[in-house]
Amino acid sequence: MENTKTADLFNDVMGPIMCGPSSSSTAGPTRIGRLTYDLCGQGDYKKVIIEYSSHTGYSHGRGSGTTKGVTGGLMGWMPDHESLFYSLDVAKERGLDIPVVITEDPVPHVNTITLKCSLNNGMDISTRMISMGGGSVAVYQIDDLRVDLFGGRYEVVVWGDSAAQAAAQVLLGQAPVAQNDHLAVFSREEEADIDAVRNLSGVRYASQLYPVVPCVTRDDAQAPFTTAAGMQAWQAEHGGSILDAAFAYQSGISGWDQKRIMDWSLHLLDVMDQSVQAGLDNDGRGFFCVRPVSHALKELHEKKKFLDTGILGVATVAATAVMESNMSMRLVIAAPTGGSAGVFPGVAAALAEAGYTREQIAESLLVAALVGAFIYNQATFTASVGGCAVEIGAASSMSAAAAAYLLGGDTKVCLDAAGLALRNLTGLACDPLASGVEVPCIHRNAMGSANAIVSANMALGGVDPVLPYDEVIEAMYVFGKNCVDNNWACGRIGRVGAQGTATGQRVREEFSRKAPMD
């Protein structure tokens, strides 16, 4: 299942603000749980069963916080809830029964979660949702009705016969986006009076799903372009820089004005700064294979115990610190994923060290997000579908464009920098040990930051990636899917790569004993 919507820069690329470690395996499942919470009258259930198919990585219990995320969402929490690490304990204290069942059912996507809910009013509701990568989610099915909902609108779900559905249509002033003879779904830009819907004659039950993203998808949402080539054509007609294009893109999708867009970008930078500090202060919570080292890296860098790499040393420290914060389920920004959350903060720290202001770095964040949108629109951000190049590679590519922009590069230079960075990491296999996004993801983020900086410098020097950026994305995606086809993918349990080594097998066995599915 491919992405079927156009990326929002904050909903789908630079975000969500989330507790680590994984956007696909923690933030997305938390949103899935939260949408189910709304679907069931804001948690009006006596029991919920979580089902993972054996055809998904979730069924292997990789320690990426999936069940913690779903459970937190089922209690009404969002991905940034400070207690998400303890959600299983909190649910138990509240008496909420949430067993996990592994099935052999075929699923439409490798990140599919099925939830079966028994409500206090006697109804049974089931839903199947998909974590699409980078924290994006799709509601795929409600009971026996196939739907396409993405958590960005107010979705009114009505159980009732055709007469009840017709009455709901009149009350809401719009036709349903999906329906059968006993269920209808209405998608809205604004909140509905759900009590009025419930009081309609013939309505058996009704609920409202609230947006789980910062930008509500508008009725008239329209991106001015969706690809790098489309952006360049738009610029040929309208003029302006790549930053102007980013403002136009996000305004078209969300309706936000330039000030609101910049304010949110600055807010994301604030959270990134907090993530760096949390990583430097890390107590080791959540780690299995390794222990936090970013504080030691920082000390060695400051004492000049490393080979002199200039601002690359700053980037290394910041990127590693963010990933250590991520692994301990503290707040980070998916940029574009949890597994690659440290790459842009690493480059941002280097840019700050070079003297750029917060406002300038916030502008570069928007450039990075726009480049990431081109990847989302034409490929994916989930390693279980496209390999590590769609996470670390995407983050490095986005960050290279950001650095090139601040260094004075025009649109071509920014895209060349992005293309060089992505080409350098095309074919990068997702090769984790059993501990999810701990090894090698933490290590690769510093590499992604360095690659971004080097690629920006190369592009400014006139190095040409030859392929247009959209074709770089195409090539990367083909390689990535080939990695997945050969079992080199996030969440796959096999005996290849790191998992096939003696150490890999030992870690897998130890992890299965010490780290139950969470």
PDB file of all heavy atoms in Angstrom, residues 22-51:
ATOM      1  N   SER A  22      10.524   4.983  17.795  1.00  0.00           N
ATOM      2  CA  SER A  22      10.255   4.818  16.369  1.00  0.00           C
ATOM      3  C   SER A  22       8.968   5.510  15.971  1.00  0.00           C
ATOM      4  O   SER A  22       7.944   5.353  16.641  1.00  0.00           O
ATOM      5  CB  SER A  22      10.157   3.323  16.026  1.00  0.00           C
ATOM      6  OG  SER A  22       9.678   3.137  14.721  1.00  0.00           O
ATOM      7  N   SER A  23       9.020   6.254  14.868  1.00  0.00           N
ATOM      8  CA  SER A  23       7.795   6.894  14.386  1.00  0.00           C
ATOM      9  C   SER A  23       6.818   5.869  13.836  1.00  0.00           C
ATOM     10  O   SER A  23       5.614   5.951  14.071  1.00  0.00           O
ATOM     11  CB  SER A  23       8.134   7.948  13.322  1.00  0.00           C
ATOM     12  OG  SER A  23       9.000   7.406  12.343  1.00  0.00           O
ATOM     13  N   SER A  24       7.332   4.868  13.116  1.00  0.00           N
ATOM     14  CA  SER A  24       6.461   3.818  12.572  1.00  0.00           C
ATOM     15  C   SER A  24       5.956   2.875  13.649  1.00  0.00           C
ATOM     16  O   SER A  24       4.815   2.401  13.585  1.00  0.00           O
ATOM     17  CB  SER A  24       7.213   2.997  11.514  1.00  0.00           C
ATOM     18  OG  SER A  24       7.515   3.757  10.386  1.00  0.00           O
ATOM     19  N   SER A  25       6.810   2.601  14.632  1.00  0.00           N
ATOM     20  CA  SER A  25       6.496   1.563  15.608  1.00  0.00           C
ATOM     21  C   SER A  25       6.068   2.098  16.967  1.00  0.00           C
ATOM     22  O   SER A  25       5.658   1.322  17.824  1.00  0.00           O
ATOM     23  CB  SER A  25       7.709   0.642  15.795  1.00  0.00           C
ATOM     24  OG  SER A  25       8.020  -0.008  14.588  1.00  0.00           O
ATOM     25  N   THR A  26       6.179   3.418  17.186  1.00  0.00           N
ATOM     26  CA  THR A  26       5.732   3.995  18.461  1.00  0.00           C
ATOM     27  C   THR A  26       4.733   5.121  18.233  1.00  0.00           C
ATOM     28  O   THR A  26       3.597   5.054  18.695  1.00  0.00           O
ATOM     29  CB  THR A  26       6.932   4.532  19.280  1.00  0.00           C
ATOM     30  OG1 THR A  26       8.007   3.604  19.237  1.00  0.00           O
ATOM     31  CG2 THR A  26       6.528   4.779  20.714  1.00  0.00           C
ATOM     32  N   ALA A  27       5.150   6.167  17.497  1.00  0.00           N
ATOM     33  CA  ALA A  27       4.266   7.323  17.299  1.00  0.00           C
ATOM     34  C   ALA A  27       3.023   6.960  16.490  1.00  0.00           C
ATOM     35  O   ALA A  27       1.899   7.304  16.869  1.00  0.00           O
ATOM     36  CB  ALA A  27       5.030   8.457  16.617  1.00  0.00           C
ATOM     37  N   GLY A  28       3.226   6.255  15.370  1.00  0.00           N
ATOM     38  CA  GLY A  28       2.073   5.837  14.575  1.00  0.00           C
ATOM     39  C   GLY A  28       1.104   4.979  15.361  1.00  0.00           C
ATOM     40  O   GLY A  28      -0.104   5.236  15.383  1.00  0.00           O
ATOM     41  N   PRO A  29       1.581   3.922  16.043  1.00  0.00           N
ATOM     42  CA  PRO A  29       0.681   3.126  16.875  1.00  0.00           C
ATOM     43  C   PRO A  29      -0.006   3.925  17.981  1.00  0.00           C
ATOM     44  O   PRO A  29      -1.151   3.635  18.328  1.00  0.00           O
ATOM     45  CB  PRO A  29       1.620   2.054  17.445  1.00  0.00           C
ATOM     46  CG  PRO A  29       2.624   1.847  16.365  1.00  0.00           C
ATOM     47  CD  PRO A  29       2.873   3.232  15.832  1.00  0.00           C
ATOM     48  N   THR A  30       0.671   4.932  18.550  1.00  0.00           N
ATOM     49  CA  THR A  30       0.001   5.766  19.551  1.00  0.00           C
ATOM     50  C   THR A  30      -1.166   6.506  18.922  1.00  0.00           C
ATOM     51  O   THR A  30      -2.264   6.588  19.499  1.00  0.00           O
ATOM     52  CB  THR A  30       0.991   6.767  20.173  1.00  0.00           C
ATOM     53  OG1 THR A  30       2.114   6.072  20.712  1.00  0.00           O
ATOM     54  CG2 THR A  30       0.322   7.567  21.289  1.00  0.00           C
ATOM     55  N   ARG A  31      -0.949   7.059  17.745  1.00  0.00           N
ATOM     56  CA  ARG A  31      -2.046   7.740  17.039  1.00  0.00           C
ATOM     57  C   ARG A  31      -3.160   6.758  16.687  1.00  0.00           C
ATOM     58  O   ARG A  31      -4.343   7.100  16.743  1.00  0.00           O
ATOM     59  CB  ARG A  31      -1.509   8.416  15.780  1.00  0.00           C
ATOM     60  CG  ARG A  31      -0.720   9.688  16.060  1.00  0.00           C
ATOM     61  CD  ARG A  31      -0.093  10.258  14.814  1.00  0.00           C
ATOM     62  NE  ARG A  31       0.310  11.656  15.014  1.00  0.00           N
ATOM     63  CZ  ARG A  31       0.981  12.365  14.130  1.00  0.00           C
ATOM     64  NH1 ARG A  31       1.336  11.823  12.970  1.00  0.00           N
ATOM     65  NH2 ARG A  31       1.297  13.632  14.388  1.00  0.00           N
ATOM     66  N   ILE A  32      -2.793   5.532  16.315  1.00  0.00           N
ATOM     67  CA  ILE A  32      -3.796   4.506  16.015  1.00  0.00           C
ATOM     68  C   ILE A  32      -4.630   4.220  17.255  1.00  0.00           C
ATOM     69  O   ILE A  32      -5.865   4.119  17.186  1.00  0.00           O
ATOM     70  CB  ILE A  32      -3.097   3.237  15.490  1.00  0.00           C
ATOM     71  CG1 ILE A  32      -2.636   3.464  14.043  1.00  0.00           C
ATOM     72  CG2 ILE A  32      -4.012   2.016  15.581  1.00  0.00           C
ATOM     73  CD1 ILE A  32      -1.740   2.378  13.497  1.00  0.00           C
ATOM     74  N   GLY A  33      -3.969   4.083  18.405  1.00  0.00           N
ATOM     75  CA  GLY A  33      -4.710   3.883  19.647  1.00  0.00           C
ATOM     76  C   GLY A  33      -5.603   5.061  19.968  1.00  0.00           C
ATOM     77  O   GLY A  33      -6.754   4.889  20.406  1.00  0.00           O
ATOM     78  N   ARG A  34      -5.113   6.280  19.750  1.00  0.00           N
ATOM     79  CA  ARG A  34      -5.901   7.479  20.058  1.00  0.00           C
ATOM     80  C   ARG A  34      -7.120   7.581  19.149  1.00  0.00           C
ATOM     81  O   ARG A  34      -8.223   7.928  19.608  1.00  0.00           O
ATOM     82  CB  ARG A  34      -5.030   8.726  19.926  1.00  0.00           C
ATOM     83  CG  ARG A  34      -5.795  10.040  20.072  1.00  0.00           C
ATOM     84  CD  ARG A  34      -6.587  10.130  21.371  1.00  0.00           C
ATOM     85  NE  ARG A  34      -7.478  11.271  21.363  1.00  0.00           N
ATOM     86  CZ  ARG A  34      -7.203  12.432  21.982  1.00  0.00           C
ATOM     87  NH1 ARG A  34      -6.069  12.575  22.648  1.00  0.00           N
ATOM     88  NH2 ARG A  34      -8.060  13.421  21.920  1.00  0.00           N
ATOM     89  N   LEU A  35      -6.975   7.279  17.872  1.00  0.00           N
ATOM     90  CA  LEU A  35      -8.119   7.306  16.961  1.00  0.00           C
ATOM     91  C   LEU A  35      -9.157   6.254  17.363  1.00  0.00           C
ATOM     92  O   LEU A  35     -10.366   6.488  17.268  1.00  0.00           O
ATOM     93  CB  LEU A  35      -7.653   7.077  15.522  1.00  0.00           C
ATOM     94  CG  LEU A  35      -6.885   8.244  14.884  1.00  0.00           C
ATOM     95  CD1 LEU A  35      -6.187   7.796  13.604  1.00  0.00           C
ATOM     96  CD2 LEU A  35      -7.827   9.417  14.601  1.00  0.00           C
ATOM     97  N   THR A  36      -8.692   5.105  17.830  1.00  0.00           N
ATOM     98  CA  THR A  36      -9.607   4.068  18.305  1.00  0.00           C
ATOM     99  C   THR A  36     -10.315   4.523  19.572  1.00  0.00           C
ATOM    100  O   THR A  36     -11.507   4.248  19.772  1.00  0.00           O
ATOM    101  CB  THR A  36      -8.841   2.760  18.546  1.00  0.00           C
ATOM    102  OG1 THR A  36      -8.161   2.383  17.339  1.00  0.00           O
ATOM    103  CG2 THR A  36      -9.775   1.643  18.964  1.00  0.00           C
ATOM    104  N   TYR A  37      -9.593   5.213  20.424  1.00  0.00           N
ATOM    105  CA  TYR A  37     -10.180   5.815  21.630  1.00  0.00           C
ATOM    106  C   TYR A  37     -11.347   6.719  21.252  1.00  0.00           C
ATOM    107  O   TYR A  37     -12.435   6.660  21.849  1.00  0.00           O
ATOM    108  CB  TYR A  37      -9.078   6.593  22.347  1.00  0.00           C
ATOM    109  CG  TYR A  37      -9.505   7.495  23.470  1.00  0.00           C
ATOM    110  CD1 TYR A  37      -9.638   7.021  24.778  1.00  0.00           C
ATOM    111  CD2 TYR A  37      -9.718   8.866  23.241  1.00  0.00           C
ATOM    112  CE1 TYR A  37      -9.996   7.870  25.813  1.00  0.00           C
ATOM    113  CE2 TYR A  37     -10.072   9.716  24.271  1.00  0.00           C
ATOM    114  CZ  TYR A  37     -10.211   9.217  25.561  1.00  0.00           C
ATOM    115  OH  TYR A  37     -10.552  10.073  26.580  1.00  0.00           O
ATOM    116  N   ASP A  38     -11.161   7.563  20.240  1.00  0.00           N
ATOM    117  CA  ASP A  38     -12.245   8.440  19.779  1.00  0.00           C
ATOM    118  C   ASP A  38     -13.371   7.640  19.127  1.00  0.00           C
ATOM    119  O   ASP A  38     -14.561   7.925  19.335  1.00  0.00           O
ATOM    120  CB  ASP A  38     -11.702   9.465  18.777  1.00  0.00           C
ATOM    121  CG  ASP A  38     -10.826  10.520  19.427  1.00  0.00           C
ATOM    122  OD1 ASP A  38     -10.939  10.726  20.650  1.00  0.00           O
ATOM    123  OD2 ASP A  38     -10.025  11.152  18.702  1.00  0.00           O
ATOM    124  N   LEU A  39     -12.990   6.652  18.325  1.00  0.00           N
ATOM    125  CA  LEU A  39     -13.992   5.832  17.630  1.00  0.00           C
ATOM    126  C   LEU A  39     -14.925   5.160  18.621  1.00  0.00           C
ATOM    127  O   LEU A  39     -16.119   4.980  18.347  1.00  0.00           O
ATOM    128  CB  LEU A  39     -13.284   4.780  16.773  1.00  0.00           C
ATOM    129  CG  LEU A  39     -14.156   3.857  15.934  1.00  0.00           C
ATOM    130  CD1 LEU A  39     -14.850   4.640  14.822  1.00  0.00           C
ATOM    131  CD2 LEU A  39     -13.318   2.726  15.344  1.00  0.00           C
ATOM    132  N   CYS A  40     -14.398   4.817  19.767  1.00  0.00           N
ATOM    133  CA  CYS A  40     -15.177   4.124  20.797  1.00  0.00           C
ATOM    134  C   CYS A  40     -15.661   5.084  21.880  1.00  0.00           C
ATOM    135  O   CYS A  40     -15.639   4.766  23.083  1.00  0.00           O
ATOM    136  CB  CYS A  40     -14.348   3.005  21.405  1.00  0.00           C
ATOM    137  SG  CYS A  40     -13.878   1.730  20.220  1.00  0.00           S
ATOM    138  N   GLY A  41     -16.114   6.264  21.480  1.00  0.00           N
ATOM    139  CA  GLY A  41     -16.716   7.196  22.426  1.00  0.00           C
ATOM    140  C   GLY A  41     -15.743   7.701  23.462  1.00  0.00           C
ATOM    141  O   GLY A  41     -16.093   7.869  24.624  1.00  0.00           O
ATOM    142  N   GLN A  42     -14.508   7.933  23.045  1.00  0.00           N
ATOM    143  CA  GLN A  42     -13.427   8.398  23.909  1.00  0.00           C
ATOM    144  C   GLN A  42     -13.189   7.435  25.086  1.00  0.00           C
ATOM    145  O   GLN A  42     -13.248   7.793  26.252  1.00  0.00           O
ATOM    146  CB  GLN A  42     -13.678   9.831  24.389  1.00  0.00           C
ATOM    147  CG  GLN A  42     -13.727  10.829  23.219  1.00  0.00           C
ATOM    148  CD  GLN A  42     -13.617  12.255  23.649  1.00  0.00           C
ATOM    149  OE1 GLN A  42     -14.292  12.677  24.581  1.00  0.00           O
ATOM    150  NE2 GLN A  42     -12.769  13.015  22.960  1.00  0.00           N
ATOM    151  N   GLY A  43     -12.896   6.210  24.669  1.00  0.00           N
ATOM    152  CA  GLY A  43     -12.487   5.204  25.644  1.00  0.00           C
ATOM    153  C   GLY A  43     -13.610   4.531  26.404  1.00  0.00           C
ATOM    154  O   GLY A  43     -13.383   3.995  27.488  1.00  0.00           O
ATOM    155  N   ASP A  44     -14.818   4.509  25.823  1.00  0.00           N
ATOM    156  CA  ASP A  44     -15.958   3.906  26.526  1.00  0.00           C
ATOM    157  C   ASP A  44     -16.002   2.395  26.281  1.00  0.00           C
ATOM    158  O   ASP A  44     -16.987   1.853  25.806  1.00  0.00           O
ATOM    159  CB  ASP A  44     -17.256   4.576  26.039  1.00  0.00           C
ATOM    160  CG  ASP A  44     -18.477   4.118  26.838  1.00  0.00           C
ATOM    161  OD1 ASP A  44     -18.302   3.759  28.021  1.00  0.00           O
ATOM    162  OD2 ASP A  44     -19.582   4.126  26.267  1.00  0.00           O
ATOM    163  N   TYR A  45     -14.889   1.729  26.565  1.00  0.00           N
ATOM    164  CA  TYR A  45     -14.840   0.283  26.369  1.00  0.00           C
ATOM    165  C   TYR A  45     -14.454  -0.427  27.661  1.00  0.00           C
ATOM    166  O   TYR A  45     -13.813   0.135  28.550  1.00  0.00           O
ATOM    167  CB  TYR A  45     -13.868  -0.123  25.259  1.00  0.00           C
ATOM    168  CG  TYR A  45     -12.687   0.787  25.025  1.00  0.00           C
ATOM    169  CD1 TYR A  45     -11.738   1.050  26.016  1.00  0.00           C
ATOM    170  CD2 TYR A  45     -12.512   1.395  23.790  1.00  0.00           C
ATOM    171  CE1 TYR A  45     -10.657   1.878  25.785  1.00  0.00           C
ATOM    172  CE2 TYR A  45     -11.440   2.230  23.556  1.00  0.00           C
ATOM    173  CZ  TYR A  45     -10.513   2.466  24.549  1.00  0.00           C
ATOM    174  OH  TYR A  45      -9.445   3.301  24.313  1.00  0.00           O
ATOM    175  N   LYS A  46     -14.861  -1.694  27.706  1.00  0.00           N
ATOM    176  CA  LYS A  46     -14.481  -2.510  28.854  1.00  0.00           C
ATOM    177  C   LYS A  46     -13.322  -3.442  28.523  1.00  0.00           C
ATOM    178  O   LYS A  46     -12.647  -3.943  29.425  1.00  0.00           O
ATOM    179  CB  LYS A  46     -15.673  -3.320  29.355  1.00  0.00           C
ATOM    180  CG  LYS A  46     -16.336  -4.214  28.306  1.00  0.00           C
ATOM    181  CD  LYS A  46     -17.604  -4.846  28.865  1.00  0.00           C
ATOM    182  CE  LYS A  46     -18.315  -5.690  27.810  1.00  0.00           C
ATOM    183  NZ  LYS A  46     -19.577  -6.274  28.317  1.00  0.00           N
ATOM    184  N   LYS A  47     -13.102  -3.666  27.228  1.00  0.00           N
ATOM    185  CA  LYS A  47     -11.995  -4.510  26.823  1.00  0.00           C
ATOM    186  C   LYS A  47     -11.574  -4.181  25.400  1.00  0.00           C
ATOM    187  O   LYS A  47     -12.412  -3.867  24.559  1.00  0.00           O
ATOM    188  CB  LYS A  47     -12.371  -5.998  26.909  1.00  0.00           C
ATOM    189  CG  LYS A  47     -11.212  -6.945  26.573  1.00  0.00           C
ATOM    190  CD  LYS A  47     -11.605  -8.400  26.794  1.00  0.00           C
ATOM    191  CE  LYS A  47     -10.436  -9.326  26.495  1.00  0.00           C
ATOM    192  NZ  LYS A  47     -10.766 -10.751  26.723  1.00  0.00           N
ATOM    193  N   VAL A  48     -10.263  -4.240  25.153  1.00  0.00           N
ATOM    194  CA  VAL A  48      -9.719  -4.066  23.807  1.00  0.00           C
ATOM    195  C   VAL A  48      -8.695  -5.162  23.568  1.00  0.00           C
ATOM    196  O   VAL A  48      -7.869  -5.449  24.436  1.00  0.00           O
ATOM    197  CB  VAL A  48      -9.045  -2.694  23.627  1.00  0.00           C
ATOM    198  CG1 VAL A  48      -8.543  -2.534  22.194  1.00  0.00           C
ATOM    199  CG2 VAL A  48      -9.983  -1.551  23.986  1.00  0.00           C
ATOM    200  N   ILE A  49      -8.741  -5.775  22.401  1.00  0.00           N
ATOM    201  CA  ILE A  49      -7.741  -6.763  21.995  1.00  0.00           C
ATOM    202  C   ILE A  49      -6.893  -6.152  20.881  1.00  0.00           C
ATOM    203  O   ILE A  49      -7.426  -5.660  19.881  1.00  0.00           O
ATOM    204  CB  ILE A  49      -8.394  -8.065  21.501  1.00  0.00           C
ATOM    205  CG1 ILE A  49      -9.190  -8.719  22.631  1.00  0.00           C
ATOM    206  CG2 ILE A  49      -7.346  -9.026  20.960  1.00  0.00           C
ATOM    207  CD1 ILE A  49      -9.995  -9.927  22.178  1.00  0.00           C
ATOM    208  N   ILE A  50      -5.582  -6.180  21.062  1.00  0.00           N
ATOM    209  CA  ILE A  50      -4.652  -5.741  20.029  1.00  0.00           C
ATOM    210  C   ILE A  50      -4.236  -6.962  19.231  1.00  0.00           C
ATOM    211  O   ILE A  50      -3.781  -7.957  19.796  1.00  0.00           O
ATOM    212  CB  ILE A  50      -3.404  -5.078  20.641  1.00  0.00           C
ATOM    213  CG1 ILE A  50      -3.778  -3.864  21.491  1.00  0.00           C
ATOM    214  CG2 ILE A  50      -2.418  -4.675  19.551  1.00  0.00           C
ATOM    215  CD1 ILE A  50      -2.611  -3.291  22.281  1.00  0.00           C
ATOM    216  N   GLU A  51      -4.391  -6.893  17.904  1.00  0.00           N
ATOM    217  CA  GLU A  51      -3.979  -8.001  17.050  1.00  0.00           C
ATOM    218  C   GLU A  51      -2.850  -7.553  16.127  1.00  0.00           C
ATOM    219  O   GLU A  51      -2.966  -6.551  15.424  1.00  0.00           O
ATOM    220  CB  GLU A  51      -5.153  -8.510  16.201  1.00  0.00           C
ATOM    221  CG  GLU A  51      -6.194  -9.271  16.991  1.00  0.00           C
ATOM    222  CD  GLU A  51      -7.222  -9.954  16.095  1.00  0.00           C
ATOM    223  OE1 GLU A  51      -7.129  -9.780  14.858  1.00  0.00           O
ATOM    224  OE2 GLU A  51      -8.108 -10.643  16.627  1.00  0.00           O
TER     225      GLU A  51
END
